Amino acid sequence: MRLAVPFDLDFSLCCGQVFRWRKIDGWWYGVVGENVVKICQCGSELKFENVSQDFVKNYFGLNDDLAEISLCIAKDEYVQKALQRFEGLRIVRQVPWECLISFICATYKSIAAIELMLKKISVKYGEKQVFDGMDFYTFPNVEKLAYASENGLKECGLGYRAKYVLATAKKIHGEKVNLEDLKNLPYLEAREKLLEFSGVGLKVADCVLLFSLRKLEAFPVDVWVKRVILNHYADKLPEPFVQKMRNHNSLTNGEYIKIGDFARNYFGAYAGYAQEYLYHYERTQR
């Protein structure tokens, strides 16, 4: 498939939004839903197997008007540098269920640790598929995890997160929740619905909203994004608020909400794209 729009596959899969892709001999392999996906990029050419062109366009957000988005969020020199450095990075459209569990597991963990947890969960509870002579595993469905045991999940390295994953799976299964329906709600309403799930705070909710539910105004704030705000946007925030944030490592819910509100006001409707570019740029400067 020849690309008519800016896209960088490596940037999009290496920026911390997905955890179950791996690159083997120049090809990226991932499992999305029931499909093993094989894809590689050579300049403006995308080659892929086992999925349709429509799937690739949808999953990798190729219908997003990245030129317009970049124009909207290029408000200052720092974000302009991030946009230039990672041109073609796009927000991936993940399966909401897997995205939700992934970011519940991601709390206070490195990307490598998250990848290992999710791999173990998939091997233990998912379905094996053989593709290109290699074993891949689908992410377990809601019912499978709802009937898992807490100890079984702990054996996958989840630690205290096991009880959160189990409780969330039970709630979704028992109440027949369709996470896809949250796409139809306004951002704040959808966030409130996600906060009802065990193990979901504001940051996890925003990650799920941005990376799977198409709420491009969501602005997840972690330690890297807090650093961006303090180092590059402090002059745009009240001094007492900035000083308070500098005095402790974590963020209160109130501080988190104020940063998100600032970002949506400053960057606009595509604040989530600004977040991902700034996050990836900040953590790759060292």
Side-chain angles (χ1 to χ4, degrees), residues 19-20 110-123 156-158:
F19 305 107
R20 293 214 306 132
S110 68
I111 288 178
I114 300 162
E115 290 173 345
L116 184 58
M117 273 190 286
L118 297 176
K119 179 181 179 180
K120 287 182 176 180
I121 289 173
S122 300
V123 169
C156 297
L158 272 66

Side-chain angles (χ1 to χ4, degrees), residues 57-71:
K57 285 183 175 179
N58 179 69
Y59 183 79
F60 289 103
L62 296 181
N63 293 322
D64 288 350
D65 189 340
L66 197 56
E68 173 66 19
I69 290 169
S70 298
L71 193 64

Side-chain angles (χ1 to χ4, degrees), residues 170-207:
K170 286 181 181 296
K171 180 178 175 67
I172 292 174
H173 181 62
E175 298 179 10
K176 295 181 171 56
V177 176
N178 184 356
L179 293 171
E180 293 281 349
D181 290 343
L182 298 182
K183 291 178 180 177
N184 301 321
L185 296 179
Y187 162 68
L188 289 177
E189 287 186 33
R191 188 173 73 180
E192 284 304 309
K193 291 289 185 183
L194 286 173
L195 290 173
E196 295 175 4
F197 294 118
S198 183
V200 177
L202 290 165
K203 189 249 182 177
V204 170
D206 273 342
C207 287

Side-chain angles (χ1 to χ4, degrees), residues 9 23 26-28 38-42 45-48:
L9 180 64
K23 199 171 191 180
W27 288 85
W28 281 99
K38 179 182 180 183
I39 187 167
C40 74
Q41 181 175 8
C42 183
E45 189 76 20
L46 272 185
K47 298 177 182 179
F48 49 87

